[in-house]
Amino acid sequence: MSGGLLVAGTTSDAGKSVVTAGICRWLVRRGVKVAPFKAQNMSLNSFVTREGAEIGRAQAMQAQAARVEPTALMNPVLLKPGSDRSSQVVLMGRPVGEMSARGYHGGRQESLLSTVVDCLEQLRGTYDAVICEGAGSPAEINLRRTDIVNMGIARAARFPVVVVGDIDRGGVFASFFGTTALLSAEDQSLIAGYLVNKFRGDVSLLEPGLDMLRELTGRPTYGVLPFAHGLGIDEEDGLRVSLRGTVRESVVAPPHGEDILRVAVCAVPLMSNFTDVDALAAEPGVVVRFVDRPEELHDADLVIVPGTRGTVKALAWLRERGLADALLRRAAEGRPVLGICGGYQILGEHIEDDVESRAGQVDGLGLLPVRIRFDREKTLARPAGEALGAPVEGYEIHHGVADVRGGEPFLTDGHGQRLDGCRSGAVWGTHWHGSLESDTFRRRFLTEIAKAAGRRFVPAPDTCFAGLREEQLDRLGDLIEEHADTDALWRLIESGAPAGLPFIAPGAPGARA
């Protein structure tokens, strides 16, 4: 049986996903066969494995960090929000229905503990180490009874826990102490220590606080990771687009040609797989922005309508905001628009949805000769084909079935036969996520966009998106190797939490020592 570790956090977005990936990359570089694991994930960013299972993109990214093929075992439960109160439950890579938060936490979640423990044990039987990622905070005292992703899985596997705190937000010492002090004695016995994330400045100024934290809790801090730009890859819980004009981080490099290319992504509700635009942001001279006002489309050379978990809701939002009319004007002027998955469906003539929104028949924007019918069976696939004379790979995650009634084929089998999507004038649409990660196709597509936009933009001839991803993952590994106590982390992974860790009062309500 292998060793392991659970990476918990004081809050959501504390850095659990990237720290888990960094530990995986550090371990695999030292010859350890390692796998990531997250028992339960809530995310609209998902991925399709080789066996056709849907899992969180964060776990797929962590598997890449570990240099292993992602599988459903690494993320047995995925929750895909459809509203503030309900989510689609994906179990072992397949959707099993919609459920309210009350229904899930009221019994279903607890019943899944045996499934997630079995998945973890299968991974432990195959790998030298399993690095688990928690969710939110382990001190959600209202949910502890049914927890299967934080202390529930740590206690079942007897894994030590390292708690990550984002010091850039402030209050990290109180967060570390409070997180520990709200746990039961048995849970506290597995909290081995802490890891500070996103620190800016002189570490020596932080050290007195770390010493006091150790005196207060009896637990060490295993490292102070510096703030590093450009490491927010494959975020789990969705891009924070509540602030208008969010800019997707790009490589810092001048444009290869004389002009830059501006890409505006409509920040639709329940946006899914916004990571599709990362490959564009990786191109020197391409600026990617998320927008929610029609005037922000005016100077864009390409507008993308991205995937969404609520196609009909997103379509209504575009109309309410005036973005739908702006898209219609763009298309009439021959200015480029790309729809991906739900965005592709929105650009069609009409949508028949008795599954996702149950809205029945709804008129689309009519920019593509496509009719969409929602099927109860979800399409999960890893297709490959050709577009613009270049090889393309992608992945499909959708209930909508497209009936294409015209236009030019977009993605083909290499012999001109349509595989997916279509093009009408300067408007393109496809169900394939990830297609822009195919380097040659991306360069040719951007060349067409630049031509249509009248820009003297030239794609760099040597941008390799997969290579840039590897560089990012190596940077994560470097952060762990250079700024964490890796010897101590390895002892935790190999031997578990130290014996005799002190109890910190008051403990969990009703579960005090």
Side-chain angles (χ1 to χ4, degrees), residues 143-417:
L143 302 176
R144 176 61 186 90
R145 181 181 61 82
T146 57
D147 170 47
I148 63 172
V149 65
N150 290 304
M151 301 313 299
I153 195 70
R155 193 188 288 191
R158 304 307 302 170
F159 274 2
V161 179
V162 172
V163 181
V164 177
D166 179 356
I167 197 171
D168 199 50
R169 295 181 174 190
V172 75
F173 293 116
S175 298
F176 283 145
F177 184 88
T179 297
T180 309
L182 280 175
L183 299 177
S184 68
E186 187 172 350
D187 284 350
Q188 286 192 28
S189 71
L190 296 174
I191 302 293
Y194 313 106
L195 191 65
V196 176
N197 191 29
K198 299 184 183 178
F199 179 73
R200 306 173 193 250
D202 185 346
V203 176
S204 67
L205 298 176
L206 189 66
E207 288 171 351
L210 302 179
D211 293 339
M212 286 185 275
L213 181 67
R214 182 160 193 161
E215 290 174 9
L216 286 166
T217 66
R219 292 162 172 85
T221 297
Y222 288 94
V224 177
L225 307 184
F227 192 100
H229 290 282
L231 293 181
I233 54 178
D234 289 6
E235 291 99 330
E236 170 187 298
D237 295 322
L239 184 68
R240 309 292 182 182
V241 291
S242 56
L243 295 177
R244 186 176 52 78
T246 302
V247 178
R248 196 68 175 148
E249 287 186 338
S250 307
V251 293
V252 181
H256 189 71
E258 296 180 45
D259 277 347
I260 63 170
L261 209 61
R262 297 175 178 87
V263 178
V265 184
C266 297
V268 296
L270 299 173
M271 181 166 50
S272 62
N273 288 70
F274 59 78
T275 49
D276 283 333
V277 303
D278 283 355
L280 296 180
E283 285 284 350
V286 176
V287 178
V288 178
R289 291 173 58 85
F290 290 84
V291 303
D292 62 5
R293 300 195 312 196
E295 56 267 30
E296 293 176 302
L297 305 189
H298 180 70
D299 67 347
D301 302 307
L302 169 66
V303 174
I304 295 178
V305 186
T308 171
R309 171 80 166 85
T311 299
V312 171
K313 182 176 182 178
L315 175 57
W317 180 88
L318 289 169
R319 287 181 167 135
E320 291 165 4
R321 295 274 178 145
L323 287 158
D325 288 338
L327 289 168
L328 292 172
R329 287 194 297 271
R330 283 188 66 89
E333 295 165 0
R335 303 178 67 199
V337 177
L338 170 65
I340 301 175
C341 199
Y344 170 39
Q345 298 165 5
I346 285 168
L347 298 181
E349 295 172 351
H350 73 245
I351 300 164
E352 185 180 334
D353 181 10
D354 296 317
V355 176
E356 190 175 77
S357 68
R358 297 182 176 87
Q361 187 161 307
V362 177
D363 288 336
L365 296 186
L367 296 180
L368 290 174
V370 178
R371 298 182 179 183
I372 301 295
R373 176 183 55 81
F374 273 65
D375 194 349
R376 295 193 180 278
E377 199 69 29
K378 182 184 279 193
T379 297
L380 297 169
R382 288 278 293 271
E386 183 179 287
L388 303 179
V392 182
E393 293 184 357
Y395 56 100
E396 295 183 73
I397 306 169
H398 54 92
H399 284 279
V401 178
D403 177 12
V404 182
R405 301 192 169 197
E408 302 173 39
F410 186 16
L411 297 155
T412 71
D413 62 0
H415 301 288
Q417 297 299 307

Side-chain angles (χ1 to χ4, degrees), residues 1-213:
M1 193 66 69
S2 72
L5 177 72
L6 185 131
V7 178
T10 56
T11 62
S12 294
D13 206 31
K16 297 182 294 291
S17 295
V18 293
V19 167
T20 300
I23 292 174
C24 285
R25 179 49 61 100
W26 158 63
L27 286 172
V28 77
R29 290 196 306 205
R30 61 180 287 174
V32 177
K33 189 178 180 184
V34 59
F37 178 77
K38 184 159 187 171
Q40 171 199 294
N41 198 343
M42 178 174 279
S43 179
L44 288 172
N45 279 339
S46 59
F47 182 75
V48 179
T49 67
R50 292 289 179 194
E51 73 266 33
E54 185 179 8
I55 67 171
R57 271 202 69 102
Q59 279 59 65
M61 177 268 291
Q62 290 160 358
Q64 185 180 352
R67 295 178 180 148
V68 297
E69 190 67 32
T71 73
L73 292 175
M74 297 171 183
N75 180 208
V77 181
L78 173 63
L79 305 178
K80 302 192 73 175
S83 72
D84 290 341
R85 298 193 175 190
S86 68
S87 295
Q88 182 180 67
V89 181
V90 179
L91 179 62
M92 295 304 295
R94 297 287 172 181
V96 295
E98 295 280 332
M99 188 168 289
S100 69
R102 180 177 292 276
Y104 184 69
H105 290 287
R108 181 61 187 270
Q109 184 181 36
E110 195 172 11
S111 70
L112 292 173
L113 180 60
S114 61
T115 298
V116 301
V117 169
D118 180 63
C119 290
L120 178 57
E121 293 307 299
Q122 288 187 58
L123 291 174
R124 294 182 73 184
T126 305
Y127 293 90
D128 301 327
V130 180
I131 307 302
C132 305
E133 180 189 344
S137 161
E140 307 289 359
I141 55 179
N142 57 316
L143 302 176
R144 176 61 186 90
R145 181 181 61 82
T146 57
D147 170 47
I148 63 172
V149 65
N150 290 304
M151 301 313 299
I153 195 70
R155 193 188 288 191
R158 304 307 302 170
F159 274 2
V161 179
V162 172
V163 181
V164 177
D166 179 356
I167 197 171
D168 199 50
R169 295 181 174 190
V172 75
F173 293 116
S175 298
F176 283 145
F177 184 88
T179 297
T180 309
L182 280 175
L183 299 177
S184 68
E186 187 172 350
D187 284 350
Q188 286 192 28
S189 71
L190 296 174
I191 302 293
Y194 313 106
L195 191 65
V196 176
N197 191 29
K198 299 184 183 178
F199 179 73
R200 306 173 193 250
D202 185 346
V203 176
S204 67
L205 298 176
L206 189 66
E207 288 171 351
L210 302 179
D211 293 339
M212 286 185 275
L213 181 67

